[in-house]
Amino acid sequence: MRKRPEIIFEDALSDSWSGSEVREVPLNERPLTYIGLIALVLGLTVVGRVAFLGVARAEFYTRRAELNSGKYEFLLAPRGIITDRFGQVLADNKPSFSAVLDVKEFLHNPDLQAETVRAAEEILGIPADYLWQIVQAKNLERGAEPVPLDVDLNHSRLVALKSLNLPTLKVVSRFQRYYPEGKVFSSVLGYVGLTTPDDLKTDPELSGDDFVGKAGVETFYDQELRGSPGWEVKLRDAHGEILDEKETIPPQIGQTLKLTLDAGLQKYFYERMTQGLLSLGRDSGAGLALNPQTGEVLALINFPVYDANIFSTPGKSGERRGVLDDSRRPLFNRTISGLYS
């Protein structure tokens, strides 16, 4: 067999490149520039997004995390009591039951949403579209306090909701403002009502189910009478089961307001003025009784009077509208705001 010549690797390389012209061509810098710009943009985007979520939206996501891990129950504070100079109660609180939509639970339990909407429609008469509007309008960054749907449940509705035992649609006990002599003292006490959007803008600490003063001493001393609400916080797991009670802040009742009024004199004044105006064929008038030595107001009457209870009692919309549309302007306090010679 003929022996094959041995091939040396260096010779093979030398032969393959022999006689060929070698030229070095520099790479174009433009692709590298584009790659660098893309990497820089992506890096800035990631850093900016992290900063946005960690700083600008930190409060929002912190609150969302709390909503997932904690169950918050809002505890309303009773409004302060108003008495006359001798301690007779002129404005009091009486317990009532309300149906509230727990927005946190509603969003946390999608499986219960259809049942909740159906219960609100069949038991409370609240359309499904309106209920969804309430949920969508809730600002989670400011919190998601329960929304009152019916603030004075009757017995049948109370039993029906209790039997469902829905964590999204709950029955809570609350306090309703009550005036034992609604007409006699309305000129002085005024009345309370649910917060309006203007009230929420003026005082961010208010919620949609708070009652605030709207007229008389109820509005002038609203901060003192309102009290401080409480919270009950419970820890829960990923399935929504309550693990432990974390913290309870009891509500603080508002301050008791003692007026210089003499309730007996006020009632006597009211009865005599009612008779006097009736005998004259009139229904408008004003009366004021002062202590000449101290200037204390002992009695104050403004006719025509109105019952302050209709503004704090649900289901009185017709009567409220009658007072608001009355051409005699019963809400205008002639004794304080009128001009006379």
Side-chain angles (χ1 to χ4, degrees), residues 171-235:
V171 175
V172 298
S173 60
R174 58 187 301 143
F175 299 94
Q176 179 180 313
R177 199 59 158 170
Y178 172 65
Y179 304 96
E181 300 284 350
K183 290 185 177 181
V184 177
F185 295 95
S186 61
S187 303
V188 179
L189 301 181
Y191 60 94
V192 298
L194 283 170
T195 52
T196 63
D198 291 336
D199 295 326
L200 297 177
K201 290 179 182 178
T202 304
D203 190 347
E205 294 184 358
L206 291 172
S207 65
D209 57 348
D210 282 330
F211 280 85
V212 296
K214 298 294 185 180
V217 297
E218 287 277 24
T219 184
F220 191 83
Y221 293 101
D222 183 64
Q223 290 287 344
E224 292 79 6
L225 292 168
R226 194 186 303 164
S228 301
W231 289 92
E232 188 175 56
V233 185
K234 298 179 180 179
L235 295 178

Short mmCIF file of all heavy atoms in Angstrom, two decimals, residues 171-235:
data_model
loop_
_atom_site.label_atom_id
_atom_site.label_comp_id
_atom_site.label_asym_id
_atom_site.label_seq_id
_atom_site.Cartn_x
_atom_site.Cartn_y
_atom_site.Cartn_z
N VAL A 171 -76.27 43.44 57.97
CA VAL A 171 -77.16 44.25 58.81
C VAL A 171 -76.33 44.77 59.97
O VAL A 171 -75.70 43.99 60.69
CB VAL A 171 -78.35 43.42 59.33
CG1 VAL A 171 -79.19 44.25 60.29
CG2 VAL A 171 -79.20 42.93 58.16
N VAL A 172 -76.31 46.07 60.14
CA VAL A 172 -75.54 46.68 61.22
C VAL A 172 -76.47 47.55 62.06
O VAL A 172 -77.46 48.10 61.56
CB VAL A 172 -74.37 47.54 60.68
CG1 VAL A 172 -73.39 46.68 59.91
CG2 VAL A 172 -74.88 48.65 59.79
N SER A 173 -76.15 47.64 63.31
CA SER A 173 -76.91 48.51 64.20
C SER A 173 -76.29 49.91 64.17
O SER A 173 -75.07 50.05 64.14
CB SER A 173 -76.91 47.96 65.63
OG SER A 173 -75.58 47.85 66.11
N ARG A 174 -77.12 50.89 64.16
CA ARG A 174 -76.65 52.26 64.12
C ARG A 174 -77.57 53.12 64.97
O ARG A 174 -78.47 52.60 65.64
CB ARG A 174 -76.58 52.78 62.68
CG ARG A 174 -77.90 52.72 61.93
CD ARG A 174 -77.70 53.10 60.48
NE ARG A 174 -77.15 54.43 60.34
CZ ARG A 174 -76.27 54.77 59.41
NH1 ARG A 174 -75.83 53.88 58.55
NH2 ARG A 174 -75.81 56.01 59.33
N PHE A 175 -77.36 54.42 64.95
CA PHE A 175 -78.14 55.33 65.77
C PHE A 175 -78.85 56.35 64.88
O PHE A 175 -78.25 56.90 63.96
CB PHE A 175 -77.25 56.04 66.78
CG PHE A 175 -76.55 55.10 67.73
CD1 PHE A 175 -75.28 54.64 67.45
CD2 PHE A 175 -77.18 54.65 68.87
CE1 PHE A 175 -74.63 53.77 68.30
CE2 PHE A 175 -76.55 53.78 69.73
CZ PHE A 175 -75.27 53.34 69.45
N GLN A 176 -80.10 56.56 65.17
CA GLN A 176 -80.91 57.52 64.43
C GLN A 176 -81.23 58.71 65.32
O GLN A 176 -81.61 58.53 66.49
CB GLN A 176 -82.20 56.83 63.96
CG GLN A 176 -83.14 57.72 63.18
CD GLN A 176 -84.38 56.95 62.76
OE1 GLN A 176 -84.29 55.84 62.25
NE2 GLN A 176 -85.54 57.54 63.00
N ARG A 177 -81.05 59.91 64.79
CA ARG A 177 -81.32 61.11 65.57
C ARG A 177 -82.81 61.22 65.83
O ARG A 177 -83.64 61.03 64.93
CB ARG A 177 -80.82 62.34 64.82
CG ARG A 177 -80.61 63.57 65.69
CD ARG A 177 -79.63 63.32 66.78
NE ARG A 177 -79.03 64.55 67.32
CZ ARG A 177 -78.29 64.57 68.39
NH1 ARG A 177 -78.08 63.46 69.08
NH2 ARG A 177 -77.75 65.69 68.82
N TYR A 178 -83.13 61.52 67.09
CA TYR A 178 -84.54 61.58 67.49
C TYR A 178 -84.78 62.83 68.34
O TYR A 178 -84.02 63.11 69.26
CB TYR A 178 -84.92 60.33 68.28
CG TYR A 178 -86.30 60.38 68.88
CD1 TYR A 178 -87.44 60.42 68.07
CD2 TYR A 178 -86.48 60.41 70.26
CE1 TYR A 178 -88.70 60.48 68.62
CE2 TYR A 178 -87.74 60.46 70.82
CZ TYR A 178 -88.85 60.50 69.99
OH TYR A 178 -90.10 60.58 70.54
N TYR A 179 -85.83 63.56 67.96
CA TYR A 179 -86.21 64.78 68.69
C TYR A 179 -87.56 64.55 69.36
O TYR A 179 -88.59 64.46 68.68
CB TYR A 179 -86.29 65.97 67.73
CG TYR A 179 -85.02 66.21 66.94
CD1 TYR A 179 -84.88 65.70 65.65
CD2 TYR A 179 -83.96 66.92 67.48
CE1 TYR A 179 -83.72 65.91 64.93
CE2 TYR A 179 -82.79 67.13 66.76
CZ TYR A 179 -82.68 66.62 65.49
OH TYR A 179 -81.52 66.82 64.77
N PRO A 180 -87.60 64.40 70.71
CA PRO A 180 -88.87 64.14 71.40
C PRO A 180 -89.95 65.17 71.11
O PRO A 180 -91.13 64.83 71.06
CB PRO A 180 -88.46 64.14 72.88
CG PRO A 180 -87.01 63.81 72.88
CD PRO A 180 -86.46 64.43 71.64
N GLU A 181 -89.55 66.43 70.94
CA GLU A 181 -90.50 67.51 70.60
C GLU A 181 -90.01 68.16 69.32
O GLU A 181 -89.48 69.27 69.31
CB GLU A 181 -90.56 68.53 71.74
CG GLU A 181 -91.02 67.97 73.08
CD GLU A 181 -92.54 67.74 73.11
OE1 GLU A 181 -93.23 68.19 72.19
OE2 GLU A 181 -93.01 67.12 74.08
N GLY A 182 -90.19 67.44 68.22
CA GLY A 182 -89.60 67.86 66.95
C GLY A 182 -90.02 69.23 66.48
O GLY A 182 -89.19 70.02 66.00
N LYS A 183 -91.31 69.58 66.63
CA LYS A 183 -91.80 70.87 66.15
C LYS A 183 -91.47 72.00 67.13
O LYS A 183 -91.16 73.12 66.72
CB LYS A 183 -93.30 70.81 65.94
CG LYS A 183 -93.73 69.95 64.76
CD LYS A 183 -95.24 70.04 64.54
CE LYS A 183 -95.65 69.25 63.31
NZ LYS A 183 -97.11 69.35 63.07
N VAL A 184 -91.55 71.71 68.40
CA VAL A 184 -91.39 72.76 69.41
C VAL A 184 -89.98 73.34 69.38
O VAL A 184 -89.80 74.56 69.53
CB VAL A 184 -91.73 72.21 70.81
CG1 VAL A 184 -91.49 73.27 71.89
CG2 VAL A 184 -93.16 71.71 70.85
N PHE A 185 -88.97 72.50 69.18
CA PHE A 185 -87.58 72.96 69.30
C PHE A 185 -86.84 73.01 67.97
O PHE A 185 -85.63 73.27 67.94
CB PHE A 185 -86.82 72.05 70.27
CG PHE A 185 -87.31 72.11 71.68
CD1 PHE A 185 -88.24 71.19 72.14
CD2 PHE A 185 -86.87 73.09 72.54
CE1 PHE A 185 -88.71 71.25 73.45
CE2 PHE A 185 -87.33 73.16 73.85
CZ PHE A 185 -88.26 72.23 74.30
N SER A 186 -87.52 72.78 66.86
CA SER A 186 -86.83 72.77 65.56
C SER A 186 -86.22 74.12 65.23
O SER A 186 -85.19 74.20 64.55
CB SER A 186 -87.79 72.34 64.46
OG SER A 186 -88.88 73.23 64.35
N SER A 187 -86.82 75.22 65.70
CA SER A 187 -86.27 76.55 65.41
C SER A 187 -84.89 76.74 66.02
O SER A 187 -84.07 77.51 65.49
CB SER A 187 -87.21 77.63 65.95
OG SER A 187 -88.51 77.50 65.40
N VAL A 188 -84.64 76.03 67.12
CA VAL A 188 -83.35 76.15 67.80
C VAL A 188 -82.40 75.02 67.41
O VAL A 188 -81.24 75.26 67.04
CB VAL A 188 -83.54 76.15 69.33
CG1 VAL A 188 -82.19 76.25 70.04
CG2 VAL A 188 -84.47 77.25 69.76
N LEU A 189 -82.89 73.79 67.45
CA LEU A 189 -82.02 72.63 67.25
C LEU A 189 -81.63 72.44 65.79
O LEU A 189 -80.51 72.00 65.52
CB LEU A 189 -82.73 71.37 67.76
CG LEU A 189 -83.13 71.37 69.24
CD1 LEU A 189 -83.79 70.05 69.59
CD2 LEU A 189 -81.93 71.63 70.13
N GLY A 190 -82.53 72.76 64.86
CA GLY A 190 -82.26 72.45 63.47
C GLY A 190 -82.47 70.96 63.22
O GLY A 190 -83.31 70.32 63.86
N TYR A 191 -81.64 70.38 62.34
CA TYR A 191 -81.78 68.96 62.01
C TYR A 191 -80.48 68.45 61.45
O TYR A 191 -79.55 69.21 61.19
CB TYR A 191 -82.92 68.74 61.01
CG TYR A 191 -82.73 69.44 59.69
CD1 TYR A 191 -82.14 68.80 58.60
CD2 TYR A 191 -83.14 70.77 59.52
CE1 TYR A 191 -81.95 69.45 57.39
CE2 TYR A 191 -82.96 71.43 58.31
CZ TYR A 191 -82.37 70.76 57.25
OH TYR A 191 -82.18 71.41 56.05
N VAL A 192 -80.39 67.12 61.26
CA VAL A 192 -79.22 66.48 60.68
C VAL A 192 -79.61 65.75 59.41
O VAL A 192 -80.78 65.46 59.17
CB VAL A 192 -78.56 65.48 61.67
CG1 VAL A 192 -78.07 66.19 62.92
CG2 VAL A 192 -79.54 64.37 62.03
N GLY A 193 -78.62 65.46 58.59
CA GLY A 193 -78.85 64.73 57.35
C GLY A 193 -77.57 64.04 56.90
O GLY A 193 -76.48 64.32 57.41
N LEU A 194 -77.71 63.12 55.95
CA LEU A 194 -76.53 62.43 55.40
C LEU A 194 -75.60 63.41 54.70
O LEU A 194 -76.03 64.44 54.19
CB LEU A 194 -76.97 61.34 54.43
CG LEU A 194 -77.51 60.04 55.05
CD1 LEU A 194 -78.12 59.16 53.98
CD2 LEU A 194 -76.40 59.29 55.79
N THR A 195 -74.33 63.05 54.66
CA THR A 195 -73.33 63.91 54.03
C THR A 195 -73.59 64.03 52.53
O THR A 195 -74.08 63.10 51.89
CB THR A 195 -71.92 63.35 54.25
OG1 THR A 195 -71.90 61.98 53.84
CG2 THR A 195 -71.51 63.46 55.69
N THR A 196 -73.25 65.19 52.00
CA THR A 196 -73.35 65.46 50.58
C THR A 196 -71.93 65.52 49.99
O THR A 196 -70.94 65.57 50.75
CB THR A 196 -74.07 66.79 50.33
OG1 THR A 196 -73.28 67.86 50.91
CG2 THR A 196 -75.45 66.78 50.97
N PRO A 197 -71.77 65.52 48.66
CA PRO A 197 -70.43 65.68 48.08
C PRO A 197 -69.71 66.93 48.57
O PRO A 197 -68.48 66.92 48.75
CB PRO A 197 -70.71 65.74 46.58
CG PRO A 197 -71.95 64.93 46.40
CD PRO A 197 -72.77 65.20 47.63
N ASP A 198 -70.45 68.02 48.81
CA ASP A 198 -69.82 69.24 49.32
C ASP A 198 -69.28 69.02 50.73
O ASP A 198 -68.21 69.53 51.09
CB ASP A 198 -70.82 70.40 49.31
CG ASP A 198 -71.17 70.84 47.89
OD1 ASP A 198 -70.35 70.59 46.98
OD2 ASP A 198 -72.26 71.40 47.70
N ASP A 199 -70.02 68.26 51.56
CA ASP A 199 -69.56 67.97 52.91
C ASP A 199 -68.27 67.15 52.88
O ASP A 199 -67.34 67.39 53.67
CB ASP A 199 -70.63 67.20 53.69
CG ASP A 199 -71.88 68.02 53.93
OD1 ASP A 199 -71.76 69.24 54.12
OD2 ASP A 199 -72.98 67.44 53.92
N LEU A 200 -68.20 66.18 51.96
CA LEU A 200 -67.01 65.33 51.86
C LEU A 200 -65.80 66.13 51.40
O LEU A 200 -64.67 65.84 51.80
CB LEU A 200 -67.28 64.17 50.90
CG LEU A 200 -68.39 63.20 51.33
CD1 LEU A 200 -68.59 62.14 50.25
CD2 LEU A 200 -68.07 62.55 52.66
N LYS A 201 -66.01 67.13 50.54
CA LYS A 201 -64.90 67.98 50.10
C LYS A 201 -64.42 68.87 51.24
O LYS A 201 -63.23 69.12 51.39
CB LYS A 201 -65.34 68.83 48.92
CG LYS A 201 -65.58 68.06 47.64
CD LYS A 201 -66.02 68.99 46.51
CE LYS A 201 -66.30 68.21 45.24
NZ LYS A 201 -66.78 69.09 44.14
N THR A 202 -65.35 69.36 52.05
CA THR A 202 -65.00 70.25 53.16
C THR A 202 -64.25 69.51 54.25
O THR A 202 -63.28 70.02 54.82
CB THR A 202 -66.25 70.91 53.74
OG1 THR A 202 -66.95 71.60 52.70
CG2 THR A 202 -65.91 71.90 54.83
N ASP A 203 -64.70 68.28 54.55
CA ASP A 203 -64.09 67.50 55.62
C ASP A 203 -63.77 66.11 55.09
O ASP A 203 -64.64 65.24 55.01
CB ASP A 203 -65.03 67.42 56.82
CG ASP A 203 -64.36 66.83 58.06
OD1 ASP A 203 -63.26 66.26 57.91
OD2 ASP A 203 -64.93 66.93 59.16
N PRO A 204 -62.51 65.83 54.71
CA PRO A 204 -62.15 64.52 54.16
C PRO A 204 -62.33 63.36 55.13
O PRO A 204 -62.36 62.21 54.71
CB PRO A 204 -60.66 64.69 53.79
CG PRO A 204 -60.43 66.16 53.73
CD PRO A 204 -61.38 66.76 54.71
N GLU A 205 -62.45 63.66 56.44
CA GLU A 205 -62.60 62.58 57.41
C GLU A 205 -64.01 62.01 57.42
O GLU A 205 -64.24 60.95 58.00
CB GLU A 205 -62.25 63.10 58.81
CG GLU A 205 -60.78 63.49 58.96
CD GLU A 205 -60.45 63.91 60.37
OE1 GLU A 205 -61.37 63.92 61.22
OE2 GLU A 205 -59.28 64.23 60.64
N LEU A 206 -64.95 62.69 56.79
CA LEU A 206 -66.32 62.20 56.74
C LEU A 206 -66.44 61.05 55.76
O LEU A 206 -65.65 60.92 54.83
CB LEU A 206 -67.28 63.33 56.34
CG LEU A 206 -67.50 64.46 57.34
CD1 LEU A 206 -68.31 65.57 56.72
CD2 LEU A 206 -68.19 63.93 58.60
N SER A 207 -67.45 60.22 55.96
CA SER A 207 -67.76 59.14 55.02
C SER A 207 -69.18 59.33 54.50
O SER A 207 -69.93 60.19 54.98
CB SER A 207 -67.63 57.78 55.70
OG SER A 207 -68.59 57.64 56.74
N GLY A 208 -69.55 58.52 53.54
CA GLY A 208 -70.86 58.68 52.91
C GLY A 208 -72.03 58.31 53.79
O GLY A 208 -73.17 58.66 53.47
N ASP A 209 -71.80 57.61 54.90
CA ASP A 209 -72.91 57.22 55.77
C ASP A 209 -72.91 58.00 57.09
O ASP A 209 -73.56 57.61 58.04
CB ASP A 209 -72.87 55.72 56.05
CG ASP A 209 -71.57 55.29 56.68
OD1 ASP A 209 -70.62 56.09 56.68
OD2 ASP A 209 -71.49 54.14 57.15
N ASP A 210 -72.18 59.11 57.14
CA ASP A 210 -72.21 59.97 58.33
C ASP A 210 -73.38 60.94 58.26
O ASP A 210 -73.82 61.36 57.18
CB ASP A 210 -70.91 60.78 58.43
CG ASP A 210 -69.76 59.96 58.97
OD1 ASP A 210 -70.02 59.04 59.76
OD2 ASP A 210 -68.61 60.21 58.59
N PHE A 211 -73.89 61.30 59.45
CA PHE A 211 -74.90 62.33 59.56
C PHE A 211 -74.24 63.59 60.12
O PHE A 211 -73.48 63.53 61.08
CB PHE A 211 -76.04 61.88 60.49
CG PHE A 211 -77.03 60.97 59.83
CD1 PHE A 211 -76.80 59.60 59.75
CD2 PHE A 211 -78.19 61.48 59.28
CE1 PHE A 211 -77.71 58.76 59.14
CE2 PHE A 211 -79.11 60.65 58.67
CZ PHE A 211 -78.86 59.28 58.59
N VAL A 212 -74.54 64.72 59.50
CA VAL A 212 -73.97 66.00 59.93
C VAL A 212 -75.09 67.00 60.13
O VAL A 212 -76.20 66.86 59.59
CB VAL A 212 -72.96 66.54 58.90
CG1 VAL A 212 -71.76 65.61 58.78
CG2 VAL A 212 -73.61 66.73 57.54
N GLY A 213 -74.81 68.03 60.92
CA GLY A 213 -75.80 69.07 61.16
C GLY A 213 -76.06 69.90 59.92
O GLY A 213 -75.14 70.25 59.19
N LYS A 214 -77.32 70.21 59.71
CA LYS A 214 -77.73 70.97 58.53
C LYS A 214 -78.33 72.33 58.88
O LYS A 214 -78.42 73.20 58.02
CB LYS A 214 -78.75 70.17 57.71
CG LYS A 214 -78.22 68.86 57.17
CD LYS A 214 -77.14 69.07 56.15
CE LYS A 214 -76.68 67.76 55.52
NZ LYS A 214 -75.63 67.94 54.51
N ALA A 215 -78.74 72.52 60.11
CA ALA A 215 -79.33 73.79 60.52
C ALA A 215 -79.28 73.89 62.04
O ALA A 215 -79.06 72.89 62.75
CB ALA A 215 -80.78 73.90 60.03
N GLY A 216 -79.47 75.11 62.56
CA GLY A 216 -79.54 75.33 64.00
C GLY A 216 -78.26 74.97 64.73
O GLY A 216 -77.16 74.97 64.17
N VAL A 217 -78.41 74.65 66.00
CA VAL A 217 -77.24 74.29 66.81
C VAL A 217 -76.63 72.97 66.36
O VAL A 217 -75.46 72.69 66.63
CB VAL A 217 -77.59 74.24 68.31
CG1 VAL A 217 -78.04 75.60 68.82
CG2 VAL A 217 -78.65 73.18 68.58
N GLU A 218 -77.40 72.15 65.66
CA GLU A 218 -76.87 70.89 65.13
C GLU A 218 -75.71 71.15 64.16
O GLU A 218 -74.73 70.40 64.13
CB GLU A 218 -77.96 70.08 64.44
CG GLU A 218 -78.98 69.44 65.37
CD GLU A 218 -78.50 68.13 65.96
OE1 GLU A 218 -77.27 67.90 66.03
OE2 GLU A 218 -79.35 67.32 66.36
N THR A 219 -75.83 72.20 63.37
CA THR A 219 -74.74 72.50 62.43
C THR A 219 -73.67 73.40 63.06
O THR A 219 -72.49 73.27 62.75
CB THR A 219 -75.31 73.15 61.15
OG1 THR A 219 -74.24 73.34 60.22
CG2 THR A 219 -75.94 74.50 61.43
N PHE A 220 -74.08 74.31 63.96
CA PHE A 220 -73.11 75.21 64.56
C PHE A 220 -72.13 74.46 65.46
O PHE A 220 -70.94 74.77 65.49
CB PHE A 220 -73.83 76.29 65.37
CG PHE A 220 -72.94 77.42 65.81
CD1 PHE A 220 -72.65 78.48 64.96
CD2 PHE A 220 -72.36 77.42 67.07
CE1 PHE A 220 -71.81 79.51 65.36
CE2 PHE A 220 -71.53 78.45 67.48
CZ PHE A 220 -71.26 79.50 66.62
N TYR A 221 -72.63 73.44 66.18
CA TYR A 221 -71.78 72.64 67.06
C TYR A 221 -71.58 71.23 66.50
O TYR A 221 -71.44 70.26 67.26
CB TYR A 221 -72.40 72.55 68.46
CG TYR A 221 -72.44 73.87 69.20
CD1 TYR A 221 -73.61 74.61 69.25
CD2 TYR A 221 -71.31 74.37 69.82
CE1 TYR A 221 -73.66 75.83 69.92
CE2 TYR A 221 -71.34 75.58 70.48
CZ TYR A 221 -72.52 76.30 70.53
OH TYR A 221 -72.55 77.52 71.20
N ASP A 222 -71.54 71.11 65.18
CA ASP A 222 -71.47 69.79 64.55
C ASP A 222 -70.20 69.04 64.95
O ASP A 222 -70.24 67.84 65.22
CB ASP A 222 -71.54 69.94 63.03
CG ASP A 222 -71.54 68.61 62.32
OD1 ASP A 222 -72.49 67.83 62.51
OD2 ASP A 222 -70.57 68.32 61.59
N GLN A 223 -69.06 69.71 64.96
CA GLN A 223 -67.80 69.05 65.30
C GLN A 223 -67.83 68.46 66.70
O GLN A 223 -67.34 67.34 66.93
CB GLN A 223 -66.64 70.04 65.18
CG GLN A 223 -66.31 70.46 63.75
CD GLN A 223 -65.62 69.37 62.96
OE1 GLN A 223 -65.13 68.41 63.55
NE2 GLN A 223 -65.59 69.50 61.65
N GLU A 224 -68.40 69.18 67.64
CA GLU A 224 -68.46 68.70 69.02
C GLU A 224 -69.47 67.57 69.18
O GLU A 224 -69.26 66.64 69.96
CB GLU A 224 -68.80 69.84 69.97
CG GLU A 224 -67.73 70.91 70.12
CD GLU A 224 -67.70 71.90 68.96
OE1 GLU A 224 -68.61 71.81 68.09
OE2 GLU A 224 -66.81 72.74 68.91
N LEU A 225 -70.57 67.65 68.44
CA LEU A 225 -71.63 66.66 68.59
C LEU A 225 -71.35 65.37 67.84
O LEU A 225 -71.88 64.32 68.18
CB LEU A 225 -72.96 67.23 68.09
CG LEU A 225 -73.58 68.36 68.92
CD1 LEU A 225 -74.72 69.02 68.16
CD2 LEU A 225 -74.08 67.82 70.26
N ARG A 226 -70.50 65.43 66.81
CA ARG A 226 -70.34 64.30 65.90
C ARG A 226 -69.67 63.10 66.55
O ARG A 226 -70.03 61.95 66.28
CB ARG A 226 -69.54 64.74 64.68
CG ARG A 226 -69.60 63.76 63.52
CD ARG A 226 -68.66 64.19 62.42
NE ARG A 226 -68.95 65.53 61.95
CZ ARG A 226 -68.12 66.26 61.23
NH1 ARG A 226 -66.92 65.76 60.92
NH2 ARG A 226 -68.44 67.46 60.85
N GLY A 227 -68.69 63.29 67.39
CA GLY A 227 -67.99 62.16 67.98
C GLY A 227 -66.96 61.58 67.03
O GLY A 227 -66.71 62.09 65.94
N SER A 228 -66.34 60.47 67.44
CA SER A 228 -65.29 59.82 66.65
C SER A 228 -65.68 58.38 66.37
O SER A 228 -65.96 57.62 67.30
CB SER A 228 -63.95 59.84 67.40
OG SER A 228 -63.56 61.18 67.69
N PRO A 229 -65.70 57.97 65.10
CA PRO A 229 -66.05 56.58 64.78
C PRO A 229 -64.95 55.62 65.20
O PRO A 229 -63.81 56.01 65.44
CB PRO A 229 -66.22 56.61 63.25
CG PRO A 229 -65.34 57.73 62.81
CD PRO A 229 -65.40 58.76 63.90
N GLY A 230 -65.30 54.36 65.28
CA GLY A 230 -64.34 53.32 65.65
C GLY A 230 -64.16 52.32 64.52
O GLY A 230 -64.87 52.34 63.52
N TRP A 231 -63.17 51.44 64.71
CA TRP A 231 -62.87 50.41 63.72
C TRP A 231 -62.64 49.09 64.43
O TRP A 231 -62.10 49.05 65.53
CB TRP A 231 -61.63 50.75 62.91
CG TRP A 231 -61.82 51.88 61.95
CD1 TRP A 231 -61.58 53.21 62.18
CD2 TRP A 231 -62.31 51.80 60.62
NE1 TRP A 231 -61.89 53.95 61.07
CE2 TRP A 231 -62.33 53.11 60.08
CE3 TRP A 231 -62.72 50.75 59.80
CZ2 TRP A 231 -62.76 53.39 58.80
CZ3 TRP A 231 -63.14 51.02 58.51
CH2 TRP A 231 -63.15 52.33 58.03
N GLU A 232 -63.05 48.03 63.78
CA GLU A 232 -62.72 46.69 64.24
C GLU A 232 -61.98 45.99 63.10
O GLU A 232 -62.53 45.83 62.01
CB GLU A 232 -63.98 45.91 64.62
CG GLU A 232 -63.69 44.58 65.29
CD GLU A 232 -64.95 43.90 65.76
OE1 GLU A 232 -65.85 43.68 64.91
OE2 GLU A 232 -65.07 43.61 66.95
N VAL A 233 -60.72 45.62 63.35
CA VAL A 233 -59.87 45.03 62.32
C VAL A 233 -59.61 43.57 62.66
O VAL A 233 -59.20 43.25 63.78
CB VAL A 233 -58.52 45.79 62.21
CG1 VAL A 233 -57.70 45.25 61.06
CG2 VAL A 233 -58.77 47.29 62.05
N LYS A 234 -59.83 42.69 61.69
CA LYS A 234 -59.59 41.26 61.88
C LYS A 234 -58.72 40.74 60.75
O LYS A 234 -58.92 41.09 59.59
CB LYS A 234 -60.92 40.49 61.92
CG LYS A 234 -61.83 40.91 63.07
CD LYS A 234 -63.12 40.13 63.05
CE LYS A 234 -64.03 40.55 64.20
NZ LYS A 234 -65.32 39.83 64.19
N LEU A 235 -57.74 39.92 61.10
CA LEU A 235 -56.85 39.32 60.11
C LEU A 235 -57.52 38.11 59.48
O LEU A 235 -58.22 37.36 60.15
CB LEU A 235 -55.53 38.89 60.76
CG LEU A 235 -54.65 40.02 61.32
CD1 LEU A 235 -53.42 39.43 61.98
CD2 LEU A 235 -54.25 40.98 60.22
#
